[in-house]
Amino acid sequence: MNFRTLRLRLRSLFLRHQVESELTEELRFHLEAKAAELRSQGIAPADALARAQRDFGNLTLLKDQCRDRRRLNILEALVQDLRYSARGLARSPGVALVCIASLALGIGATSALFSIFDVALLHPIDIPHADRLAWFEEHRRDGQESGGNPKRLHDWQTLPAFQSVAGYYTEAAVLTQNGAATRIEALRYAGPASQVFQASTQLGRLPSETEAQNGDLVVVLTHSAWRKYFAADPNILDKPLRLSGKSWTVVGVLAPAARYPEAVDFWAPMPREVFNATREAGFLAQAARLAPDASLQQAQTQANVLAARLALDHPATDAGRSLRLGPLAEHVAQPARVSILLFLAASFAVLLIACVNVAGLLLARGLNRRREAAIRVALGAGRTRLIRLFMAESLLLAFAGSCAGLLLASLGLDALKLALPEDTPRLADAVIGWRAVLFGVTLALASAILCGLIPAWRAAVHASATGMKEGGRAGTGSSYLRSALVIAQMALSLTLLITGGLLVNSFLRMRQAPLGFQPQHAAGFSLALPWDTPSAVIDTTTQQVLERLAAAPGTWSAGVVDRLPLHGGTQSRPILVDGLDLAPDYRDKEISWRMASPGFFPAAGIPLIDGVLFRPFQKDGPRECLITQQLARDLFPDRNPIGQRIASRPRHNAPPEWFQIAGVTGNTRLNPADSAPAPEVYVPWGADYWPILNFVVRGAQAPSDLSRFVDRQIRPLLPGQIIDPIESLNDLTAQTHSALRTRAILAGTLALTSLLLCALGLFALLAHETARRTREYGIRVALGAQPPELAAAAIRHGLALSAAGLALGLAAALTVARTLQSLLFEVKVTDAATCAEACLILVTMALLASAVPALRAARTDPIAALRHN
Amino acid sequence: MSKPSDLLQGTLDLLLLKILALEPLHGWAISQRLRAVSSDVLHVSEGSLYPALHKLEQDGWIKAEWRLTDNNRNAKFYSLTPAGRKALTREASQWERLSGAIDHVLSLTGVPS
């Protein structure tokens, strides 16, 4: 295209009016010249112009052809169509608003979830060649999953299918800078972790092999921690660092590209002691990078062979153990997979329902515009041109919807993230970026086609087929199509209602499930001492803090425990009972083995069911313990548990350390998602080594008063230690429920949105139907039909549609819900009550949606109706 | 697509280029000229002339300017551009080749051996 033609095109585009008037002028000149010629041949002036025009042909068509030759018609027609549609929509703002709002909800929810799906499931590990990473899942003899072990890690490292294998765990450390303490997260690794995770340094170097073997206290900071805690100090290298009470040396800073493992502030080789662990212990996470030409299957085959050999070499510890390999990305994405897929599917369903609604509304508009379409056809509009005109409307709606939707998505993204499990990978990286926008726009295009094509096609076909014959009255054909659409909508909506109902019911059950402790009037805080704190120091610290807490004004009781209720278990081990053969299911079962001071039970409000509390631990005193009601029932169904002796099964052949059962406590839940209470043993605080202290205080004082007291009286005892903020157990309990609550709210909102959209769809269909049949109703009333009969017809129609929707929806819901079980609490996916409730809600909605059209039908005035049209 | 009746596709363009190569003309004059030079054999309906002109202008083969006619009326005069002149030579020689070939075929009296 040369300059001249470009100029012409731009001129036709931007100086449209001028070009247009020139065209008119040019053609008029021709007509006048022709008329003048005819006049000169003796034809009357009045006839001359008419004849000139007749000879000339269809002026409008001709102009259109000229515009066509200027190759602007498509663009211009599009602009024109869009303008026309915008004007049309502006005339019925209600319909437009409903369409845009429902599309915005659908597109917004879907785009927001897509942005999370994109990072968390598609790219959960943000480092190069993440697809070559394998995750290790070890299984013990009893089939239970177990962590890795430094000795076996060494064995796995010999497999040729791996380029590098690393073992690691994360731990909290306390960073002390200028007297202030900050808790930071450490990655402790063994083996070539930097090769596995493709981490290189930006400053300095990685810890050397020798340093790792000597257990030197050297760290390499992650890039984010370097910037966050050290203001990107370029002279950080070789500076001493106070970490958990020891002096460390910074040897390097990782490059920003070293982004996995996430949420870690520094890397340090594992301490030497860890390598002394027996082959029984299992506490390492293990990952490997595959050798360039090796596949995961090859690695698995090699691992199977090696596991069989290890079982022979170490029969006591390794017999029956196995290693299962899988992609690391899959493992990382696992915790969030079901939630994300569920919500993505649900938001797609809402979008689909919205599209169906818009399609239904456009279909109705299309019927009302049949006369217009027929006129357009009569004036020479082609079928494509007509389809384009009708499509412009849905395009406009979809794009307005996608803009509003993307706005919604960026506003709601943070709230959405709360509904996902905390360990969802890369949650912070999920933003409404260009990928999400692209996705949203694609959705808008797809929905425009989905909503617009059928109505446009029908309008075009009808217009050219039937023309103006029917006098503009809407026909019946498309009401079958609309009925089908409404049924599909209801089926989708029921699926969402059931899914949402299951999640909401799960949340309600979880909130009502007995906690086993009394959160009112109780507050707690946590103090994590470094893992190498000597036992004596832990004991005196505990003692001092407990004494001061007990002396605080308002305190009724205070105690310490290894982990707060609902915050998970700590240690677990198989048990022995003196003089009793355990039932087979208890022989290898890991029983939660917890430590608490006697004051913990009254402080947390855990009732003593039987016997007495144990006395505080004394090295040479009698060993006492408490067991929970659940364990008492399981172990001693036929005898009094008090006075029985229980022990954790010793490793090797050491004699068991018996604890005499002093009492039985009520059950508590270890995790919010545990449905059955776990059997537990409580031993007195100090019986085992455990440096993480969780204090619980029950009293009349407000948590804020307690907090001030702790600041004044307890913090000075523990310089350089981090005391977590004090929170009431009520708040802590609510927090543990929060993910499920947010999830329930989100699912409920999506379900209700779909219900609302569905009601709207049904209402629009029935209202339109009633309006269309006004004349028929008028005749029927005139012939003696009673108003209730007419109303019943509309309601029957609504119910018939919802019955079909229910049948389809139930089938779909049962298929979909099966994947949800892991998200549910004490609720089966086939929960009849939930399904029944959902059906009831949908039918009520259908009745309500049919009520107004039914009333309108019943009130048909025969005179007015027959005058209609 | 314009359908100039009884005209081979593309020939209308050639005719218009040729007519305008002689002198700049407005639409009405072109239609008069067409009728005259082709002695009514090549019937071009008056209407279909304009889309063709607009296309040629858009392609950059002819250009338009508003000028006064002899009767002092403002009219749109079309004239050939250098590109149009080249196009005319090209199209004309192509036409000659084509018509020559067709003449040859039509003049065949027997199957050549």
Side-chain angles (χ1 to χ4, degrees):
Chain A
M1 191 190 295
N2 62 28
F3 173 72
R4 178 198 296 280
T5 58
L6 181 70
R7 194 178 58 90
L8 279 170
R9 258 171 231 191
L10 289 178
R11 183 165 171 269
S12 332
L13 187 59
F14 293 108
L15 299 174
R16 214 157 53 88
H17 289 292
Q18 194 183 334
V19 172
E20 199 66 9
S21 66
E22 279 182 14
L23 179 60
T24 313
E25 178 61 30
E26 182 181 17
L27 297 181
R28 200 176 64 194
F29 172 75
H30 183 110
L31 285 175
E32 281 172 6
K34 171 93 177 183
E37 189 196 61
L38 290 171
R39 270 199 307 277
S40 70
Q41 289 168 4
I43 294 176
D47 294 343
L49 196 62
R51 193 160 145 212
Q53 266 167 3
R54 203 164 53 243
D55 283 358
F56 204 59
N58 185 337
L59 195 64
T60 319
L61 193 63
L62 204 63
K63 276 189 182 174
D64 212 34
Q65 281 172 357
C66 286
R67 281 182 218 117
D68 248 346
R69 290 305 169 272
R70 295 193 162 269
R71 296 212 200 119
L72 267 169
N73 237 17
I74 293 179
L75 192 67
E76 210 178 79
L78 186 70
V79 172
Q80 201 185 18
D81 288 352
L82 286 177
R83 264 196 209 172
Y84 183 80
S85 305
R87 275 204 303 274
L89 288 172
R91 269 202 301 278
S92 36
V95 174
L97 216 63
V98 165
C99 289
I100 292 174
S102 46
L103 285 176
L105 274 176
I107 292 177
T110 317
S111 307
L113 275 154
F114 170 78
S115 70
I116 294 177
F117 168 82
D118 186 34
V119 292
L121 296 193
L122 293 185
H123 308 99
I125 302 177
D126 193 18
I127 57 173
H129 310 293
D131 54 326
R132 301 293 295 162
L133 293 172
W135 169 251
F136 289 48
E137 201 180 289
E138 287 191 27
H139 290 268
R140 286 196 310 247
R141 194 177 330 193
D142 59 0
Q144 292 281 323
E145 200 181 326
S146 132
N149 170 287
K151 297 214 162 61
R152 259 193 306 283
L153 171 67
H154 205 262
D155 296 326
W156 303 135
Q157 279 169 336
T158 61
L159 294 182
F162 294 134
Q163 185 191 64
S164 45
V165 185
Y168 52 99
Y169 60 87
T170 57
E171 67 179 9
V174 178
L175 168 70
T176 321
Q177 273 177 308
N178 313 322
T182 327
R183 176 168 305 163
I184 62 177
E185 211 48 43
L187 178 81
R188 306 302 298 268
Y189 65 89
S194 61
Q195 279 177 39
V196 175
F197 298 127
Q198 305 266 297
S200 57
T201 53
Q202 175 174 322
L203 275 183
R205 58 180 175 84
L206 292 157
S208 71
E209 196 73 21
T210 347
E211 283 168 330
Q213 267 163 21
N214 295 342
D216 289 347
L217 299 181
V218 288
V219 302
V220 52
L221 295 169
T222 61
H223 196 262
S224 58
W226 178 53
R227 292 180 48 177
K228 188 167 164 195
Y229 300 115
F230 304 96
D233 175 9
N235 304 316
I236 186 91
L237 297 186
D238 299 324
K239 276 194 183 163
L241 203 65
R242 267 329 260 184
L243 274 175
S244 299
K246 287 187 189 148
S247 183
W248 297 65
T249 310
V250 179
V251 297
V253 173
L254 290 177
R259 279 184 289 260
Y260 190 85
E262 276 191 82
V264 164
D265 296 308
F266 69 86
W267 292 25
M270 272 180 210
R272 276 321 298 163
E273 313 86 79
V274 169
F275 292 91
N276 301 331
T278 63
R279 294 186 71 91
E280 239 173 358
F283 56 90
L284 286 184
Q286 298 171 96
R289 187 165 284 277
L290 291 169
D293 47 353
S295 70
L296 203 59
Q297 286 81 0
Q298 283 170 333
Q300 182 68 64
T301 317
Q302 293 173 6
N304 293 346
V305 174
L306 181 56
R309 217 186 65 216
L310 292 176
L312 294 178
D313 292 353
H314 310 278
T317 53
D318 283 31
R321 276 184 185 269
S322 61
L323 173 65
R324 199 178 302 154
L325 296 169
L328 180 62
E330 224 164 74
H331 166 77
V332 169
Q334 192 53 40
R337 178 183 303 275
V338 180
S339 308
I340 294 179
L341 290 181
L342 165 72
F343 288 128
L344 192 60
S347 53
F348 258 121
V350 169
L351 178 60
L352 215 58
I353 292 176
C355 283
V356 170
N357 246 358
V358 175
L361 287 170
L362 291 182
L363 209 55
R365 273 171 69 77
L367 290 176
N368 296 333
R369 285 169 67 184
R370 282 171 86 179
R371 193 197 281 258
E372 173 202 331
I375 293 171
R376 281 174 183 274
V377 169
L379 289 180
R383 187 176 287 186
T384 13
R385 183 72 181 74
L386 215 53
I387 290 180
R388 219 159 61 193
L389 175 68
F390 280 78
M391 283 294 293
E393 200 158 59
S394 60
L395 258 180
L396 207 63
L397 289 174
F399 274 98
S402 75
C403 290
L406 286 169
L407 195 70
L408 268 183
S410 56
L411 291 177
L413 190 62
D414 287 337
L416 192 64
K417 288 179 181 175
L418 293 179
L420 295 171
E422 257 174 50
D423 41 3
T424 304
R426 300 187 61 206
L427 207 46
D429 293 347
V431 288
I432 302 295
W434 66 270
R435 287 169 70 101
V437 169
L438 203 68
F439 182 77
V441 171
T442 314
L443 278 185
L445 263 179
S447 11
I449 291 170
L450 211 62
C451 329
L453 203 54
I454 296 178
W457 177 253
R458 287 195 74 95
V461 168
H462 272 265
S464 41
T466 59
M468 283 177 275
K469 270 188 298 206
E470 272 183 89
R473 220 158 54 75
T476 48
S478 74
S479 79
Y480 291 113
L481 185 63
R482 289 192 68 193
S483 298
L485 290 179
V486 167
I487 290 173
Q489 253 184 333
M490 298 231 241
L492 275 173
S493 180
L494 185 70
T495 313
L496 288 184
L497 278 175
I498 290 180
T499 320
L502 288 171
L503 286 171
V504 171
N505 277 345
S506 289
F507 169 64
L508 294 180
R509 296 253 179 114
M510 182 178 288
R511 217 174 48 174
Q512 284 158 6
L515 295 167
F517 62 95
Q518 301 286 329
Q520 297 81 15
H521 295 297
F525 63 94
S526 169
L527 168 65
L529 298 171
W531 271 98
D532 51 1
T533 314
S535 306
V537 175
I538 299 178
D539 289 347
T540 42
T541 308
T542 315
Q543 205 57 40
Q544 283 175 324
V545 174
L546 279 181
E547 274 167 18
R548 297 211 174 180
L549 283 176
T555 300
W556 300 333
S557 50
V560 67
V561 69
D562 54 0
R563 190 162 292 188
L564 292 173
L566 287 181
H567 283 65
T570 48
Q571 318 216 52
S572 62
R573 42 189 79 159
I575 54 166
L576 297 174
V577 177
D578 195 15
L580 186 78
D581 264 340
L582 289 174
D585 57 328
Y586 257 89
R587 214 157 284 157
D588 283 320
K589 183 168 175 166
E590 300 255 331
I591 302 297
S592 163
W593 189 268
R594 312 184 59 167
M595 280 203 310
S597 72
F600 164 70
F601 299 93
I606 297 173
L608 189 68
I609 309 283
D610 199 0
V612 293
L613 287 178
F614 48 47
R615 283 161 283 180
F617 183 73
Q618 283 171 321
K619 275 236 160 12
D620 309 315
R623 289 167 180 273
E624 292 176 319
C625 71
L626 298 170
I627 60 173
T628 60
Q629 216 175 355
Q630 183 69 39
L631 187 61
R633 229 176 261 157
D634 288 355
L635 292 182
F636 312 106
D638 49 356
R639 64 179 102 173
N640 186 358
I642 312 292
Q644 303 284 347
R645 296 203 304 161
I646 197 170
S648 69
R649 191 169 72 197
R651 295 191 181 112
H652 314 300
N653 292 321
E657 279 190 9
W658 296 110
F659 286 82
Q660 190 167 41
I661 298 173
V664 178
T665 71
N667 293 322
T668 57
R669 279 190 290 151
L670 294 182
N671 295 299
D674 292 343
S675 46
E680 291 180 88
V681 177
Y682 287 99
V683 296
W685 186 264
D688 261 326
Y689 181 84
W690 190 255
I692 299 162
L693 286 56
N694 286 284
F695 294 98
V696 179
V697 184
R698 172 170 298 270
Q701 73 274 53
S704 55
D705 292 335
L706 187 63
S707 180
R708 270 195 295 280
F709 176 80
V710 169
D711 283 344
R712 255 194 342 268
Q713 298 286 325
I714 295 177
R715 255 181 236 286
L717 288 177
L718 305 157
Q721 299 298 343
I722 296 170
I723 298 179
D724 281 347
I726 289 149
E727 284 190 88
S728 76
L729 289 199
N730 259 338
D731 291 351
L732 286 175
T733 310
Q735 269 170 32
T736 58
H737 289 159
S738 74
L740 201 74
R741 184 181 55 214
T742 325
R743 214 177 291 164
I745 290 175
L746 183 61
T749 312
L750 286 174
L752 287 182
T753 311
S754 78
L755 186 72
L756 210 71
L757 292 177
C758 203
L760 207 72
L762 183 64
F763 169 77
L765 173 73
L766 293 179
H768 183 250
E769 191 88 331
T770 314
R772 199 172 59 76
R773 292 168 67 179
T774 308
R775 192 199 295 232
E776 176 200 328
Y777 288 153
I779 295 173
R780 284 168 67 175
V781 171
L783 291 178
Q786 293 300 308
E789 288 171 34
L790 300 181
I795 292 193
R796 247 198 325 271
H797 191 175
L799 286 183
L801 292 179
S802 49
L806 286 187
L808 268 175
L810 274 177
L814 290 181
T815 325
V816 170
R818 218 168 291 151
T819 55
L820 296 181
Q821 191 62 66
S822 66
L823 296 180
L824 301 181
F825 176 79
E826 283 186 357
V827 177
K828 285 268 159 291
V829 290
T830 49
D831 190 52
T834 309
C835 292
E837 278 163 20
C839 293
L840 196 68
I841 292 176
L842 199 71
V843 171
T844 315
M845 177 282 288
L847 278 177
L848 284 177
S850 343
V852 177
L855 273 179
R856 210 177 285 162
R859 286 204 194 125
T860 309
D861 174 9
I863 309 287
L866 293 176
R867 213 183 282 137
H868 186 73
N869 280 347
Chain B
M1 272 299 130
S2 67
K3 288 175 194 147
S5 44
D6 307 331
L7 265 184
L8 266 172
Q9 198 158 351
T11 39
L12 180 58
D13 288 357
L14 179 60
L15 290 179
L16 291 176
L17 286 176
K18 182 64 198 171
I19 289 171
L20 289 175
L22 305 174
E23 61 176 319
L25 289 173
H26 49 71
W28 168 246
I30 296 173
S31 74
Q32 301 282 85
R33 192 66 58 89
L34 256 178
R35 207 160 19 157
V37 295
S38 70
S39 5
D40 278 340
V41 175
L42 297 175
H43 175 73
V44 179
S45 78
E46 289 170 23
S48 50
L49 182 65
Y50 287 92
L53 283 172
H54 281 251
K55 179 180 176 294
L56 289 177
E57 186 189 358
Q58 197 63 47
D59 289 345
W61 289 357
I62 60 177
K63 61 176 189 239
E65 62 186 321
W66 289 87
R67 263 198 268 154
L68 290 179
T69 63
D70 306 337
N71 304 338
N72 245 355
R73 271 283 269 121
N74 210 8
K76 197 175 177 189
F77 279 80
Y78 293 94
S79 57
L80 228 54
T81 63
R85 224 166 271 286
K86 265 183 241 158
L88 173 60
T89 338
R90 200 170 55 236
E91 300 268 308
S93 67
Q94 213 160 21
W95 173 258
E96 272 159 26
R97 263 213 323 280
L98 184 67
S99 61
I102 292 173
D103 282 347
H104 177 67
V105 172
L106 293 178
S107 63
L108 286 181
T109 49
V111 180
S113 50

